[in-house]
Short mmCIF file of all heavy atoms in Angstrom, two decimals:
data_model
loop_
_atom_site.label_atom_id
_atom_site.label_comp_id
_atom_site.label_asym_id
_atom_site.label_seq_id
_atom_site.Cartn_x
_atom_site.Cartn_y
_atom_site.Cartn_z
N PHE H 15 2.28 10.82 -3.98
CA PHE H 15 2.77 9.42 -3.47
C PHE H 15 4.19 9.22 -3.75
O PHE H 15 4.73 8.21 -3.48
CB PHE H 15 1.94 8.39 -4.23
CG PHE H 15 0.57 8.30 -3.76
CD1 PHE H 15 -0.53 8.61 -4.54
CD2 PHE H 15 0.26 7.85 -2.45
CE1 PHE H 15 -1.87 8.53 -4.14
CE2 PHE H 15 -1.16 7.76 -2.04
CZ PHE H 15 -2.16 8.10 -2.89
N LYS H 16 4.89 10.15 -4.43
CA LYS H 16 6.29 10.03 -4.81
C LYS H 16 7.20 10.49 -3.69
O LYS H 16 6.90 11.17 -2.85
CB LYS H 16 6.59 10.79 -6.12
CG LYS H 16 5.67 10.29 -7.23
CD LYS H 16 5.94 11.08 -8.45
CE LYS H 16 5.02 10.62 -9.67
NZ LYS H 16 5.22 11.42 -10.79
N GLU H 17 8.53 9.97 -3.80
CA GLU H 17 9.50 10.37 -2.84
C GLU H 17 10.00 11.79 -3.06
O GLU H 17 10.51 12.45 -2.16
CB GLU H 17 10.67 9.46 -3.00
CG GLU H 17 10.46 8.03 -2.68
CD GLU H 17 10.35 7.86 -1.18
OE1 GLU H 17 11.05 8.49 -0.43
OE2 GLU H 17 9.53 6.96 -0.68
N THR H 18 9.91 12.28 -4.25
CA THR H 18 10.27 13.56 -4.57
C THR H 18 9.06 14.38 -5.24
O THR H 18 8.23 13.77 -5.88
CB THR H 18 11.41 13.77 -5.57
OG1 THR H 18 11.12 13.05 -6.78
CG2 THR H 18 12.69 13.15 -5.08
N CYS H 19 8.99 15.75 -4.98
CA CYS H 19 7.92 16.47 -5.42
C CYS H 19 7.92 16.63 -6.98
O CYS H 19 9.03 16.81 -7.61
CB CYS H 19 7.97 17.91 -4.90
SG CYS H 19 6.76 19.00 -5.40
N PRO H 20 6.85 16.45 -7.68
CA PRO H 20 6.77 16.47 -9.19
C PRO H 20 6.97 17.97 -9.60
O PRO H 20 7.30 18.17 -10.79
CB PRO H 20 5.44 16.04 -9.56
CG PRO H 20 4.60 15.97 -8.36
CD PRO H 20 5.55 15.89 -7.18
N ASN H 21 6.70 18.92 -8.75
CA ASN H 21 6.85 20.32 -9.25
C ASN H 21 8.24 20.91 -8.96
O ASN H 21 8.82 21.54 -9.86
CB ASN H 21 5.88 21.27 -8.38
CG ASN H 21 4.40 21.08 -8.80
OD1 ASN H 21 4.23 20.42 -9.84
ND2 ASN H 21 3.54 21.57 -7.94
N CYS H 22 8.85 20.68 -7.76
CA CYS H 22 10.12 21.32 -7.47
C CYS H 22 11.30 20.32 -7.22
O CYS H 22 12.33 20.73 -6.93
CB CYS H 22 9.92 22.28 -6.28
SG CYS H 22 9.51 21.39 -4.74
N ASN H 23 10.99 19.01 -7.38
CA ASN H 23 11.98 17.94 -7.07
C ASN H 23 12.61 17.97 -5.73
O ASN H 23 13.73 17.50 -5.49
CB ASN H 23 13.15 18.04 -8.19
CG ASN H 23 12.62 17.60 -9.49
OD1 ASN H 23 11.77 16.86 -9.65
ND2 ASN H 23 13.22 18.20 -10.53
N ASN H 24 11.88 18.58 -4.77
CA ASN H 24 12.24 18.59 -3.32
C ASN H 24 11.84 17.29 -2.62
O ASN H 24 10.93 16.61 -3.09
CB ASN H 24 11.63 19.83 -2.67
CG ASN H 24 12.41 20.15 -1.46
OD1 ASN H 24 13.51 19.81 -1.19
ND2 ASN H 24 11.81 20.97 -0.54
N LYS H 25 12.48 16.91 -1.50
CA LYS H 25 12.13 15.77 -0.80
C LYS H 25 10.73 15.94 -0.21
O LYS H 25 10.27 16.99 0.30
CB LYS H 25 13.14 15.65 0.39
CG LYS H 25 12.95 14.43 1.25
CD LYS H 25 13.95 14.48 2.33
CE LYS H 25 13.60 13.42 3.34
NZ LYS H 25 14.35 13.45 4.61
N THR H 26 10.02 14.81 -0.18
CA THR H 26 8.64 14.81 0.49
C THR H 26 8.72 13.98 1.81
O THR H 26 9.56 13.10 2.01
CB THR H 26 7.60 14.09 -0.45
OG1 THR H 26 8.08 12.78 -0.72
CG2 THR H 26 7.42 14.93 -1.73
N ASN H 27 7.83 14.34 2.72
CA ASN H 27 7.64 13.70 4.03
C ASN H 27 6.35 12.94 4.11
O ASN H 27 5.37 13.29 3.48
CB ASN H 27 7.76 14.60 5.15
CG ASN H 27 8.98 15.36 5.30
OD1 ASN H 27 10.04 14.77 4.99
ND2 ASN H 27 9.00 16.52 5.83
N ARG H 28 6.32 11.80 4.92
CA ARG H 28 5.09 11.07 5.12
C ARG H 28 4.16 12.01 5.96
O ARG H 28 4.59 12.76 6.81
CB ARG H 28 5.41 9.82 5.94
CG ARG H 28 6.05 8.79 5.18
CD ARG H 28 6.33 7.56 5.91
NE ARG H 28 5.21 7.20 6.81
CZ ARG H 28 5.35 6.37 7.88
NH1 ARG H 28 6.48 5.84 8.09
NH2 ARG H 28 4.30 6.11 8.60
N VAL H 29 2.89 11.88 5.61
CA VAL H 29 1.83 12.57 6.31
C VAL H 29 1.11 11.52 7.16
O VAL H 29 0.46 10.55 6.71
CB VAL H 29 0.83 13.22 5.36
CG1 VAL H 29 -0.23 13.96 6.09
CG2 VAL H 29 1.59 14.23 4.54
N ILE H 30 1.28 11.67 8.52
CA ILE H 30 0.58 10.76 9.41
C ILE H 30 -0.44 11.38 10.18
O ILE H 30 -0.18 12.39 10.90
CB ILE H 30 1.65 10.17 10.38
CG1 ILE H 30 2.87 9.58 9.64
CG2 ILE H 30 1.05 9.19 11.40
CD1 ILE H 30 4.06 9.20 10.52
N PRO H 31 -1.70 10.96 9.99
CA PRO H 31 -2.82 11.61 10.73
C PRO H 31 -2.74 11.30 12.24
O PRO H 31 -2.11 10.32 12.63
CB PRO H 31 -4.01 11.00 10.11
CG PRO H 31 -3.57 9.62 9.57
CD PRO H 31 -2.13 9.90 9.16
N SER H 32 -3.32 12.15 13.06
CA SER H 32 -3.30 11.94 14.47
C SER H 32 -4.28 10.84 14.80
O SER H 32 -5.23 10.54 14.06
CB SER H 32 -3.74 13.20 15.19
OG SER H 32 -5.06 13.66 14.77
N LYS H 33 -4.07 10.06 15.90
CA LYS H 33 -4.85 9.01 16.25
C LYS H 33 -6.25 9.48 16.81
O LYS H 33 -6.37 10.50 17.38
CB LYS H 33 -4.20 8.19 17.37
CG LYS H 33 -2.98 7.52 16.98
CD LYS H 33 -2.40 6.64 18.09
CE LYS H 33 -1.14 5.91 17.66
NZ LYS H 33 -0.51 5.15 18.72
N PHE H 34 -7.33 8.69 16.44
CA PHE H 34 -8.60 9.06 16.94
C PHE H 34 -8.79 8.40 18.24
O PHE H 34 -8.55 7.19 18.44
CB PHE H 34 -9.68 8.59 15.95
CG PHE H 34 -11.05 8.64 16.46
CD1 PHE H 34 -11.63 9.90 16.46
CD2 PHE H 34 -11.76 7.56 16.90
CE1 PHE H 34 -12.99 10.08 16.97
CE2 PHE H 34 -13.00 7.68 17.37
CZ PHE H 34 -13.61 8.93 17.46
#
Side-chain angles (χ1 to χ4, degrees):
F15 288 112
K16 299 179 181 179
E17 294 286 326
T18 58
C19 178
N21 289 345
C22 63
N23 292 328
N24 201 17
K25 180 183 168 190
T26 57
N27 290 331
R28 285 181 41 196
V29 179
I30 303 170
S32 58
K33 292 183 179 179
F34 172 77

